Amino acid sequence: MTAQSAPVLEMHELRTWFATPEGPLRAVDGVSLGVEPGRCLGVVGESGSGKTVLLRSIVGLLPRRAIASTGGTVCFEGLELAGAPPAVIRDVRGRRIGMVFQDPMTSLNPVMRVGTQLTDGMRHHLGVGRQEARRRARALLEAVGIPDPERRLRDYPHQLSGGMRQRVTIAIALACDPSLLLADEPTTALDVTVQSQILRLLGRLRRQRNMAVILVTHDMGVVAGSTDDLAVMYAGKVVEQGPTATVFSATRHPYTRALLEAIPRADARPGERLATIPGQPPSLVDPPSGCRFAPRCPRAADRCRAEEPPLAGADGHRFACWFPLGDPEPPAAAT
Amino acid sequence: MKQVKGRLLELAPVLLLVSFATFALVRVLPGDPARAFLGPQASQQEVALLRHQIGLDRPIISAYGHWLARAFHGDLGQSYQTGQSVVSALAQRLPVSIELMLLAQVLGLAVAVPVGVLTAYRAEGLVDRAWSGLSFATIALPSFVLGLLLIIVFPVKLNVLQISGFTHLTHSVGGNLESMTLPALTLALPQIAIYSRVLRGDMIATLREDHVTMAEAKGLPTWQILFRYALRPSSFSLITLAGLNVGQLMSGAVVVEFLFGLPGVGMLLVSSIFAHDLVMIQGVILFTVVVYVAINLGVDLLYAVLDPRTRHVAAA
């Protein structure tokens, strides 16, 4: 699939290493991804795969003193964000890039009214007056499906349900009409029924505003219904990426298939065990040489443990595997 | 306002118990207060008369009941040293103590809040480390040592401000402030140290919370994130501590008032103890206790203003 327009955001070989007493921890280790206007890129992976760090690296929302080294480029609407001065990034944050976080119970300030938290971003960035900000805030709450917005503006976060709060944080993220929305597990902390409402809302807002969205999640089920493109991350690297439908129907990387098999199915027999991926993700301080998934991979051969596979492929579907699914099994190797 | 009523009902037994304890404490002290006041030359009859006047010859419960009943009508008795009523003595001394308290608190908070926020924002930085050392040195000094040090530095070496003595506010505003500066500073310095450390600790915890990251994601300037988003949820320990200090200082900063010769409530208490003025001691202590409890009630109610969640939990 070819992109209709230039990407809003393009990362190239993005790298974020944290400082630890044992040495640098390679949380994000050379990731290249992009997203076009009006499209949704899903980033999936287990906890600790680096997906959240990747998202925060884009807008410099990481504790500066924890970082050992960074690298690569982040090009956002022609502006280079990687290594940009804090003032430049701060001006982009909230104004041109909105963010939604995982847990709406903790991401709103408990002692400030919803209205204040919703309006002060636009008052700061756009310089609108109190009345105008108020009017826009009402419209935003309506747009995210909150009834009786006038009353809700005066409420404190604890007076709202979890789903309502997440709608409020989405409204806050959209306050300055950003061209890119970064959503970090926006449905993980919510009830299942609310989850699908929030995902539908995000989809609708994206289409209405022709906004690009990067949706980070560990849930393949979330990715399936709400993303156009998909990147699977493992141990700080992208192992497979492509149009979501292609990645699902013609899965090439064994890790992606393992993630797909780990989705609980409605037609499973009672008592049937869920598929799990044996072993633990590798240490990111001292990652294994070769393919990082090799120690857990059922298809791993000697070459996998020795040489790191490049991310390659055709027609926008790329994968980092020496013996991808669909190819013949590798020669059985003695372990 | 159901909350307020409930709290008041809870406080009634506390007040009763503490007032009885202070009343009894003075009575069970060894020695006869009447004899101590009148001196060894006084005759038995004179002592007996005074004992009767202050109710020392009555059973303690009955004397306490009598005293409490009169206290409810705003009569705490009269000093048998000067003949002045306890209430009017307190009314005379209280403004001095309140002024000292206000100056010390304003000075303390005005310095501690920005410093606490800054050291939390740059925790483990150079300023934070230096401030930490300085704070502990200040806290470790007893107030009379700190007061004497200030006297040596300012009036003695630099020849500014006065060593001791008090100028009334109505007499001269400048002179009043001059006489109050060193005592207020003596009280404020350890408070600045403690307040800023307490605020720093809570603030560091708040700065790690998701809602602060969210505020950063909104692209707000750092000062707004620190002072508008993070300060209020971090200020509960500080408010509690400041409240306790206000309560304590309202009833007189005993050591500092004595050191600098300020005629406040603390000074009144010290001089009545020296004079074995039983009635005055009881009255001053009762006043102290009531003020302390009232201020704490005020602080509890202030939480509801600071944190909307406590309001609704209580109402539910």
PDB file of all heavy atoms in Angstrom, chain A residues 61 64 86-87 90-91 93 124-125, chain B residues 117-118 120-122 203 207 212 215-231:
ATOM      1  N   LEU A  61       9.473  13.155  26.582  1.00  0.00           N
ATOM      2  CA  LEU A  61       8.834  13.081  27.901  1.00  0.00           C
ATOM      3  C   LEU A  61       9.493  12.020  28.772  1.00  0.00           C
ATOM      4  O   LEU A  61       8.820  11.221  29.386  1.00  0.00           O
ATOM      5  CB  LEU A  61       7.357  12.731  27.754  1.00  0.00           C
ATOM      6  CG  LEU A  61       6.359  13.878  27.755  1.00  0.00           C
ATOM      7  CD1 LEU A  61       4.940  13.343  27.827  1.00  0.00           C
ATOM      8  CD2 LEU A  61       6.601  14.829  28.917  1.00  0.00           C
ATOM      9  N   ARG A  64      15.330  13.338  31.960  1.00  0.00           N
ATOM     10  CA  ARG A  64      16.551  13.573  31.209  1.00  0.00           C
ATOM     11  C   ARG A  64      17.774  12.917  31.857  1.00  0.00           C
ATOM     12  O   ARG A  64      18.681  12.457  31.194  1.00  0.00           O
ATOM     13  CB  ARG A  64      16.790  15.077  31.051  1.00  0.00           C
ATOM     14  CG  ARG A  64      17.449  15.425  29.724  1.00  0.00           C
ATOM     15  CD  ARG A  64      17.556  16.921  29.552  1.00  0.00           C
ATOM     16  NE  ARG A  64      16.299  17.601  29.855  1.00  0.00           N
ATOM     17  CZ  ARG A  64      16.230  18.881  30.237  1.00  0.00           C
ATOM     18  NH1 ARG A  64      17.317  19.597  30.361  1.00  0.00           N
ATOM     19  NH2 ARG A  64      15.066  19.433  30.491  1.00  0.00           N
ATOM     20  N   PRO A  86      14.582  22.121  24.596  1.00  0.00           N
ATOM     21  CA  PRO A  86      13.349  21.852  25.330  1.00  0.00           C
ATOM     22  C   PRO A  86      12.215  22.816  24.974  1.00  0.00           C
ATOM     23  O   PRO A  86      11.060  22.411  24.889  1.00  0.00           O
ATOM     24  CB  PRO A  86      13.761  22.019  26.791  1.00  0.00           C
ATOM     25  CG  PRO A  86      15.220  21.753  26.799  1.00  0.00           C
ATOM     26  CD  PRO A  86      15.750  22.187  25.466  1.00  0.00           C
ATOM     27  N   ALA A  87      12.539  24.075  24.739  1.00  0.00           N
ATOM     28  CA  ALA A  87      11.496  25.057  24.447  1.00  0.00           C
ATOM     29  C   ALA A  87      10.765  24.730  23.143  1.00  0.00           C
ATOM     30  O   ALA A  87       9.555  24.900  23.038  1.00  0.00           O
ATOM     31  CB  ALA A  87      12.103  26.461  24.375  1.00  0.00           C
ATOM     32  N   ARG A  90       8.556  21.693  23.832  1.00  0.00           N
ATOM     33  CA  ARG A  90       7.435  22.064  24.681  1.00  0.00           C
ATOM     34  C   ARG A  90       6.356  22.785  23.877  1.00  0.00           C
ATOM     35  O   ARG A  90       5.175  22.670  24.163  1.00  0.00           O
ATOM     36  CB  ARG A  90       7.918  22.941  25.841  1.00  0.00           C
ATOM     37  CG  ARG A  90       7.022  22.833  27.048  1.00  0.00           C
ATOM     38  CD  ARG A  90       7.513  23.654  28.213  1.00  0.00           C
ATOM     39  NE  ARG A  90       8.825  23.269  28.659  1.00  0.00           N
ATOM     40  CZ  ARG A  90       9.815  24.137  28.878  1.00  0.00           C
ATOM     41  NH1 ARG A  90       9.641  25.417  28.684  1.00  0.00           N
ATOM     42  NH2 ARG A  90      10.978  23.725  29.304  1.00  0.00           N
ATOM     43  N   ASP A  91       6.808  23.525  22.868  1.00  0.00           N
ATOM     44  CA  ASP A  91       5.829  24.234  22.045  1.00  0.00           C
ATOM     45  C   ASP A  91       5.050  23.270  21.146  1.00  0.00           C
ATOM     46  O   ASP A  91       3.907  23.524  20.799  1.00  0.00           O
ATOM     47  CB  ASP A  91       6.534  25.298  21.198  1.00  0.00           C
ATOM     48  CG  ASP A  91       5.537  26.250  20.586  1.00  0.00           C
ATOM     49  OD1 ASP A  91       4.736  26.810  21.356  1.00  0.00           O
ATOM     50  OD2 ASP A  91       5.524  26.393  19.351  1.00  0.00           O
ATOM     51  N   ARG A  93       4.507  19.975  22.022  1.00  0.00           N
ATOM     52  CA  ARG A  93       3.688  19.162  22.914  1.00  0.00           C
ATOM     53  C   ARG A  93       2.383  19.873  23.247  1.00  0.00           C
ATOM     54  O   ARG A  93       2.379  21.037  23.622  1.00  0.00           O
ATOM     55  CB  ARG A  93       4.427  18.922  24.233  1.00  0.00           C
ATOM     56  CG  ARG A  93       5.531  17.919  24.149  1.00  0.00           C
ATOM     57  CD  ARG A  93       5.794  17.277  25.490  1.00  0.00           C
ATOM     58  NE  ARG A  93       6.284  18.206  26.493  1.00  0.00           N
ATOM     59  CZ  ARG A  93       7.514  18.167  27.001  1.00  0.00           C
ATOM     60  NH1 ARG A  93       8.370  17.279  26.602  1.00  0.00           N
ATOM     61  NH2 ARG A  93       7.870  19.024  27.935  1.00  0.00           N
ATOM     62  N   HIS A 124      -2.655  28.637  26.991  1.00  0.00           N
ATOM     63  CA  HIS A 124      -1.209  28.857  26.896  1.00  0.00           C
ATOM     64  C   HIS A 124      -0.731  28.867  25.442  1.00  0.00           C
ATOM     65  O   HIS A 124      -0.020  29.777  25.018  1.00  0.00           O
ATOM     66  CB  HIS A 124      -0.469  27.773  27.679  1.00  0.00           C
ATOM     67  CG  HIS A 124       1.007  27.788  27.472  1.00  0.00           C
ATOM     68  ND1 HIS A 124       1.812  28.781  27.979  1.00  0.00           N
ATOM     69  CD2 HIS A 124       1.822  26.967  26.768  1.00  0.00           C
ATOM     70  CE1 HIS A 124       3.056  28.553  27.620  1.00  0.00           C
ATOM     71  NE2 HIS A 124       3.100  27.469  26.878  1.00  0.00           N
ATOM     72  N   HIS A 125      -1.139  27.847  24.676  1.00  0.00           N
ATOM     73  CA  HIS A 125      -0.606  27.704  23.319  1.00  0.00           C
ATOM     74  C   HIS A 125      -1.252  28.657  22.329  1.00  0.00           C
ATOM     75  O   HIS A 125      -0.596  29.208  21.453  1.00  0.00           O
ATOM     76  CB  HIS A 125      -0.808  26.275  22.817  1.00  0.00           C
ATOM     77  CG  HIS A 125       0.116  25.282  23.448  1.00  0.00           C
ATOM     78  ND1 HIS A 125       1.480  25.383  23.380  1.00  0.00           N
ATOM     79  CD2 HIS A 125      -0.135  24.161  24.164  1.00  0.00           C
ATOM     80  CE1 HIS A 125       2.033  24.369  24.026  1.00  0.00           C
ATOM     81  NE2 HIS A 125       1.070  23.619  24.519  1.00  0.00           N
TER      82      HIS A 125
ATOM     83  N   VAL B 117       9.991  23.692  46.499  1.00  0.00           N
ATOM     84  CA  VAL B 117       9.635  23.336  45.122  1.00  0.00           C
ATOM     85  C   VAL B 117      10.887  23.199  44.264  1.00  0.00           C
ATOM     86  O   VAL B 117      11.054  22.229  43.524  1.00  0.00           O
ATOM     87  CB  VAL B 117       8.681  24.396  44.525  1.00  0.00           C
ATOM     88  CG1 VAL B 117       8.499  24.185  43.029  1.00  0.00           C
ATOM     89  CG2 VAL B 117       7.327  24.342  45.227  1.00  0.00           C
ATOM     90  N   LEU B 118      11.794  24.143  44.423  1.00  0.00           N
ATOM     91  CA  LEU B 118      13.021  24.129  43.612  1.00  0.00           C
ATOM     92  C   LEU B 118      13.880  22.909  43.916  1.00  0.00           C
ATOM     93  O   LEU B 118      14.357  22.225  43.011  1.00  0.00           O
ATOM     94  CB  LEU B 118      13.820  25.410  43.858  1.00  0.00           C
ATOM     95  CG  LEU B 118      15.111  25.507  43.054  1.00  0.00           C
ATOM     96  CD1 LEU B 118      14.819  25.920  41.623  1.00  0.00           C
ATOM     97  CD2 LEU B 118      16.097  26.470  43.693  1.00  0.00           C
ATOM     98  N   ALA B 120      12.930  20.110  45.090  1.00  0.00           N
ATOM     99  CA  ALA B 120      12.269  18.885  44.614  1.00  0.00           C
ATOM    100  C   ALA B 120      12.450  18.751  43.113  1.00  0.00           C
ATOM    101  O   ALA B 120      12.706  17.666  42.594  1.00  0.00           O
ATOM    102  CB  ALA B 120      10.792  18.914  44.958  1.00  0.00           C
ATOM    103  N   TYR B 121      12.328  19.868  42.407  1.00  0.00           N
ATOM    104  CA  TYR B 121      12.448  19.853  40.944  1.00  0.00           C
ATOM    105  C   TYR B 121      13.857  19.459  40.534  1.00  0.00           C
ATOM    106  O   TYR B 121      14.059  18.724  39.574  1.00  0.00           O
ATOM    107  CB  TYR B 121      12.083  21.232  40.403  1.00  0.00           C
ATOM    108  CG  TYR B 121      12.231  21.380  38.905  1.00  0.00           C
ATOM    109  CD1 TYR B 121      11.528  20.545  38.038  1.00  0.00           C
ATOM    110  CD2 TYR B 121      13.065  22.349  38.358  1.00  0.00           C
ATOM    111  CE1 TYR B 121      11.652  20.681  36.676  1.00  0.00           C
ATOM    112  CE2 TYR B 121      13.199  22.490  36.984  1.00  0.00           C
ATOM    113  CZ  TYR B 121      12.492  21.647  36.146  1.00  0.00           C
ATOM    114  OH  TYR B 121      12.618  21.776  34.798  1.00  0.00           O
ATOM    115  N   ARG B 122      14.838  19.960  41.272  1.00  0.00           N
ATOM    116  CA  ARG B 122      16.229  19.606  40.989  1.00  0.00           C
ATOM    117  C   ARG B 122      16.774  18.749  42.114  1.00  0.00           C
ATOM    118  O   ARG B 122      17.829  19.046  42.680  1.00  0.00           O
ATOM    119  CB  ARG B 122      17.063  20.879  40.840  1.00  0.00           C
ATOM    120  CG  ARG B 122      16.751  21.653  39.580  1.00  0.00           C
ATOM    121  CD  ARG B 122      17.663  21.241  38.448  1.00  0.00           C
ATOM    122  NE  ARG B 122      17.378  21.968  37.227  1.00  0.00           N
ATOM    123  CZ  ARG B 122      16.705  21.434  36.198  1.00  0.00           C
ATOM    124  NH1 ARG B 122      16.225  20.218  36.278  1.00  0.00           N
ATOM    125  NH2 ARG B 122      16.503  22.129  35.098  1.00  0.00           N
ATOM    126  N   MET B 203       6.689  16.735  47.307  1.00  0.00           N
ATOM    127  CA  MET B 203       6.695  17.231  45.934  1.00  0.00           C
ATOM    128  C   MET B 203       7.402  16.238  45.004  1.00  0.00           C
ATOM    129  O   MET B 203       6.952  16.029  43.878  1.00  0.00           O
ATOM    130  CB  MET B 203       7.443  18.567  45.927  1.00  0.00           C
ATOM    131  CG  MET B 203       7.376  19.310  44.646  1.00  0.00           C
ATOM    132  SD  MET B 203       5.957  20.401  44.661  1.00  0.00           S
ATOM    133  CE  MET B 203       6.150  21.148  43.058  1.00  0.00           C
ATOM    134  N   LEU B 207       5.697  14.730  41.721  1.00  0.00           N
ATOM    135  CA  LEU B 207       6.275  14.919  40.384  1.00  0.00           C
ATOM    136  C   LEU B 207       6.410  13.601  39.626  1.00  0.00           C
ATOM    137  O   LEU B 207       6.547  13.595  38.409  1.00  0.00           O
ATOM    138  CB  LEU B 207       7.638  15.613  40.478  1.00  0.00           C
ATOM    139  CG  LEU B 207       7.590  17.084  40.890  1.00  0.00           C
ATOM    140  CD1 LEU B 207       8.988  17.662  40.997  1.00  0.00           C
ATOM    141  CD2 LEU B 207       6.763  17.894  39.903  1.00  0.00           C
ATOM    142  N   VAL B 212       1.214  14.686  36.425  1.00  0.00           N
ATOM    143  CA  VAL B 212       2.270  15.665  36.140  1.00  0.00           C
ATOM    144  C   VAL B 212       2.846  15.419  34.747  1.00  0.00           C
ATOM    145  O   VAL B 212       3.071  16.364  33.980  1.00  0.00           O
ATOM    146  CB  VAL B 212       3.362  15.629  37.230  1.00  0.00           C
ATOM    147  CG1 VAL B 212       4.539  16.494  36.833  1.00  0.00           C
ATOM    148  CG2 VAL B 212       2.783  16.097  38.555  1.00  0.00           C
ATOM    149  N   ALA B 215       0.492  16.849  32.402  1.00  0.00           N
ATOM    150  CA  ALA B 215       0.624  18.308  32.312  1.00  0.00           C
ATOM    151  C   ALA B 215       1.829  18.669  31.448  1.00  0.00           C
ATOM    152  O   ALA B 215       1.783  19.622  30.668  1.00  0.00           O
ATOM    153  CB  ALA B 215       0.759  18.907  33.714  1.00  0.00           C
ATOM    154  N   GLU B 216       2.905  17.885  31.557  1.00  0.00           N
ATOM    155  CA  GLU B 216       4.074  18.125  30.705  1.00  0.00           C
ATOM    156  C   GLU B 216       3.722  17.864  29.245  1.00  0.00           C
ATOM    157  O   GLU B 216       4.181  18.580  28.355  1.00  0.00           O
ATOM    158  CB  GLU B 216       5.221  17.211  31.119  1.00  0.00           C
ATOM    159  CG  GLU B 216       5.912  17.630  32.393  1.00  0.00           C
ATOM    160  CD  GLU B 216       7.049  16.695  32.720  1.00  0.00           C
ATOM    161  OE1 GLU B 216       8.114  16.822  32.108  1.00  0.00           O
ATOM    162  OE2 GLU B 216       6.868  15.806  33.575  1.00  0.00           O
ATOM    163  N   ALA B 217       2.902  16.821  29.033  1.00  0.00           N
ATOM    164  CA  ALA B 217       2.510  16.485  27.658  1.00  0.00           C
ATOM    165  C   ALA B 217       1.653  17.596  27.049  1.00  0.00           C
ATOM    166  O   ALA B 217       1.526  17.692  25.845  1.00  0.00           O
ATOM    167  CB  ALA B 217       1.737  15.167  27.638  1.00  0.00           C
ATOM    168  N   LYS B 218       1.048  18.412  27.901  1.00  0.00           N
ATOM    169  CA  LYS B 218       0.268  19.545  27.395  1.00  0.00           C
ATOM    170  C   LYS B 218       1.173  20.686  26.950  1.00  0.00           C
ATOM    171  O   LYS B 218       0.710  21.680  26.410  1.00  0.00           O
ATOM    172  CB  LYS B 218      -0.680  20.063  28.486  1.00  0.00           C
ATOM    173  CG  LYS B 218      -1.917  19.206  28.670  1.00  0.00           C
ATOM    174  CD  LYS B 218      -3.018  19.962  29.389  1.00  0.00           C
ATOM    175  CE  LYS B 218      -3.044  19.633  30.857  1.00  0.00           C
ATOM    176  NZ  LYS B 218      -4.182  20.265  31.550  1.00  0.00           N
ATOM    177  N   GLY B 219       2.472  20.557  27.259  1.00  0.00           N
ATOM    178  CA  GLY B 219       3.414  21.581  26.830  1.00  0.00           C
ATOM    179  C   GLY B 219       3.372  22.843  27.672  1.00  0.00           C
ATOM    180  O   GLY B 219       3.793  23.905  27.232  1.00  0.00           O
ATOM    181  N   LEU B 220       2.881  22.722  28.902  1.00  0.00           N
ATOM    182  CA  LEU B 220       2.819  23.910  29.769  1.00  0.00           C
ATOM    183  C   LEU B 220       4.215  24.275  30.251  1.00  0.00           C
ATOM    184  O   LEU B 220       5.086  23.415  30.367  1.00  0.00           O
ATOM    185  CB  LEU B 220       1.913  23.616  30.968  1.00  0.00           C
ATOM    186  CG  LEU B 220       0.456  23.334  30.633  1.00  0.00           C
ATOM    187  CD1 LEU B 220      -0.306  22.933  31.881  1.00  0.00           C
ATOM    188  CD2 LEU B 220      -0.188  24.560  29.999  1.00  0.00           C
ATOM    189  N   PRO B 221       4.441  25.562  30.549  1.00  0.00           N
ATOM    190  CA  PRO B 221       5.753  25.953  31.065  1.00  0.00           C
ATOM    191  C   PRO B 221       6.018  25.320  32.432  1.00  0.00           C
ATOM    192  O   PRO B 221       5.087  25.044  33.193  1.00  0.00           O
ATOM    193  CB  PRO B 221       5.672  27.478  31.168  1.00  0.00           C
ATOM    194  CG  PRO B 221       4.261  27.847  30.928  1.00  0.00           C
ATOM    195  CD  PRO B 221       3.544  26.688  30.340  1.00  0.00           C
ATOM    196  N   THR B 222       7.297  25.114  32.731  1.00  0.00           N
ATOM    197  CA  THR B 222       7.676  24.406  33.951  1.00  0.00           C
ATOM    198  C   THR B 222       7.108  25.051  35.209  1.00  0.00           C
ATOM    199  O   THR B 222       6.641  24.363  36.111  1.00  0.00           O
ATOM    200  CB  THR B 222       9.212  24.344  34.045  1.00  0.00           C
ATOM    201  OG1 THR B 222       9.696  23.787  32.827  1.00  0.00           O
ATOM    202  CG2 THR B 222       9.648  23.484  35.197  1.00  0.00           C
ATOM    203  N   TRP B 223       7.136  26.395  35.278  1.00  0.00           N
ATOM    204  CA  TRP B 223       6.657  27.035  36.512  1.00  0.00           C
ATOM    205  C   TRP B 223       5.182  26.736  36.741  1.00  0.00           C
ATOM    206  O   TRP B 223       4.747  26.555  37.871  1.00  0.00           O
ATOM    207  CB  TRP B 223       6.920  28.544  36.501  1.00  0.00           C
ATOM    208  CG  TRP B 223       6.080  29.313  35.517  1.00  0.00           C
ATOM    209  CD1 TRP B 223       6.443  29.677  34.258  1.00  0.00           C
ATOM    210  CD2 TRP B 223       4.746  29.806  35.702  1.00  0.00           C
ATOM    211  NE1 TRP B 223       5.409  30.350  33.648  1.00  0.00           N
ATOM    212  CE2 TRP B 223       4.365  30.452  34.502  1.00  0.00           C
ATOM    213  CE3 TRP B 223       3.835  29.768  36.774  1.00  0.00           C
ATOM    214  CZ2 TRP B 223       3.109  31.046  34.335  1.00  0.00           C
ATOM    215  CZ3 TRP B 223       2.591  30.359  36.599  1.00  0.00           C
ATOM    216  CH2 TRP B 223       2.237  30.989  35.399  1.00  0.00           C
ATOM    217  N   GLN B 224       4.409  26.637  35.649  1.00  0.00           N
ATOM    218  CA  GLN B 224       2.985  26.326  35.804  1.00  0.00           C
ATOM    219  C   GLN B 224       2.787  24.905  36.313  1.00  0.00           C
ATOM    220  O   GLN B 224       1.938  24.644  37.165  1.00  0.00           O
ATOM    221  CB  GLN B 224       2.273  26.454  34.454  1.00  0.00           C
ATOM    222  CG  GLN B 224       1.593  27.780  34.261  1.00  0.00           C
ATOM    223  CD  GLN B 224       0.470  27.685  33.232  1.00  0.00           C
ATOM    224  OE1 GLN B 224      -0.321  26.761  33.220  1.00  0.00           O
ATOM    225  NE2 GLN B 224       0.424  28.673  32.363  1.00  0.00           N
ATOM    226  N   ILE B 225       3.602  23.985  35.765  1.00  0.00           N
ATOM    227  CA  ILE B 225       3.480  22.593  36.201  1.00  0.00           C
ATOM    228  C   ILE B 225       3.826  22.485  37.681  1.00  0.00           C
ATOM    229  O   ILE B 225       3.138  21.840  38.449  1.00  0.00           O
ATOM    230  CB  ILE B 225       4.393  21.695  35.350  1.00  0.00           C
ATOM    231  CG1 ILE B 225       3.851  21.649  33.918  1.00  0.00           C
ATOM    232  CG2 ILE B 225       4.491  20.303  35.942  1.00  0.00           C
ATOM    233  CD1 ILE B 225       4.783  21.033  32.928  1.00  0.00           C
ATOM    234  N   LEU B 226       4.887  23.183  38.087  1.00  0.00           N
ATOM    235  CA  LEU B 226       5.323  23.087  39.482  1.00  0.00           C
ATOM    236  C   LEU B 226       4.328  23.757  40.420  1.00  0.00           C
ATOM    237  O   LEU B 226       3.881  23.163  41.395  1.00  0.00           O
ATOM    238  CB  LEU B 226       6.704  23.721  39.652  1.00  0.00           C
ATOM    239  CG  LEU B 226       7.865  22.979  38.993  1.00  0.00           C
ATOM    240  CD1 LEU B 226       9.154  23.770  39.153  1.00  0.00           C
ATOM    241  CD2 LEU B 226       8.021  21.591  39.588  1.00  0.00           C
ATOM    242  N   PHE B 227       3.966  25.002  40.131  1.00  0.00           N
ATOM    243  CA  PHE B 227       3.189  25.753  41.116  1.00  0.00           C
ATOM    244  C   PHE B 227       1.678  25.581  40.976  1.00  0.00           C
ATOM    245  O   PHE B 227       0.954  25.680  41.956  1.00  0.00           O
ATOM    246  CB  PHE B 227       3.571  27.242  41.075  1.00  0.00           C
ATOM    247  CG  PHE B 227       4.924  27.500  41.675  1.00  0.00           C
ATOM    248  CD1 PHE B 227       6.057  27.507  40.892  1.00  0.00           C
ATOM    249  CD2 PHE B 227       5.061  27.678  43.043  1.00  0.00           C
ATOM    250  CE1 PHE B 227       7.308  27.710  41.448  1.00  0.00           C
ATOM    251  CE2 PHE B 227       6.303  27.882  43.618  1.00  0.00           C
ATOM    252  CZ  PHE B 227       7.434  27.901  42.811  1.00  0.00           C
ATOM    253  N   ARG B 228       1.200  25.319  39.754  1.00  0.00           N
ATOM    254  CA  ARG B 228      -0.252  25.160  39.615  1.00  0.00           C
ATOM    255  C   ARG B 228      -0.684  23.700  39.709  1.00  0.00           C
ATOM    256  O   ARG B 228      -1.734  23.396  40.253  1.00  0.00           O
ATOM    257  CB  ARG B 228      -0.732  25.753  38.291  1.00  0.00           C
ATOM    258  CG  ARG B 228      -0.775  27.278  38.312  1.00  0.00           C
ATOM    259  CD  ARG B 228      -1.457  27.809  37.079  1.00  0.00           C
ATOM    260  NE  ARG B 228      -2.839  27.385  36.986  1.00  0.00           N
ATOM    261  CZ  ARG B 228      -3.455  27.090  35.841  1.00  0.00           C
ATOM    262  NH1 ARG B 228      -2.808  27.173  34.711  1.00  0.00           N
ATOM    263  NH2 ARG B 228      -4.713  26.726  35.844  1.00  0.00           N
ATOM    264  N   TYR B 229       0.135  22.804  39.160  1.00  0.00           N
ATOM    265  CA  TYR B 229      -0.295  21.403  39.114  1.00  0.00           C
ATOM    266  C   TYR B 229       0.238  20.578  40.274  1.00  0.00           C
ATOM    267  O   TYR B 229      -0.440  19.714  40.780  1.00  0.00           O
ATOM    268  CB  TYR B 229       0.132  20.760  37.779  1.00  0.00           C
ATOM    269  CG  TYR B 229      -0.818  21.076  36.666  1.00  0.00           C
ATOM    270  CD1 TYR B 229      -0.819  22.329  36.062  1.00  0.00           C
ATOM    271  CD2 TYR B 229      -1.734  20.141  36.216  1.00  0.00           C
ATOM    272  CE1 TYR B 229      -1.699  22.639  35.056  1.00  0.00           C
ATOM    273  CE2 TYR B 229      -2.629  20.437  35.194  1.00  0.00           C
ATOM    274  CZ  TYR B 229      -2.599  21.679  34.619  1.00  0.00           C
ATOM    275  OH  TYR B 229      -3.483  21.985  33.627  1.00  0.00           O
ATOM    276  N   ALA B 230       1.473  20.809  40.666  1.00  0.00           N
ATOM    277  CA  ALA B 230       2.103  19.896  41.620  1.00  0.00           C
ATOM    278  C   ALA B 230       2.092  20.416  43.060  1.00  0.00           C
ATOM    279  O   ALA B 230       2.086  19.632  43.999  1.00  0.00           O
ATOM    280  CB  ALA B 230       3.541  19.606  41.187  1.00  0.00           C
ATOM    281  N   LEU B 231       2.058  21.733  43.245  1.00  0.00           N
ATOM    282  CA  LEU B 231       2.205  22.259  44.610  1.00  0.00           C
ATOM    283  C   LEU B 231       1.032  21.879  45.518  1.00  0.00           C
ATOM    284  O   LEU B 231       1.227  21.416  46.632  1.00  0.00           O
ATOM    285  CB  LEU B 231       2.379  23.782  44.563  1.00  0.00           C
ATOM    286  CG  LEU B 231       2.535  24.477  45.919  1.00  0.00           C
ATOM    287  CD1 LEU B 231       3.733  23.927  46.679  1.00  0.00           C
ATOM    288  CD2 LEU B 231       2.674  25.975  45.763  1.00  0.00           C
TER     289      LEU B 231
END
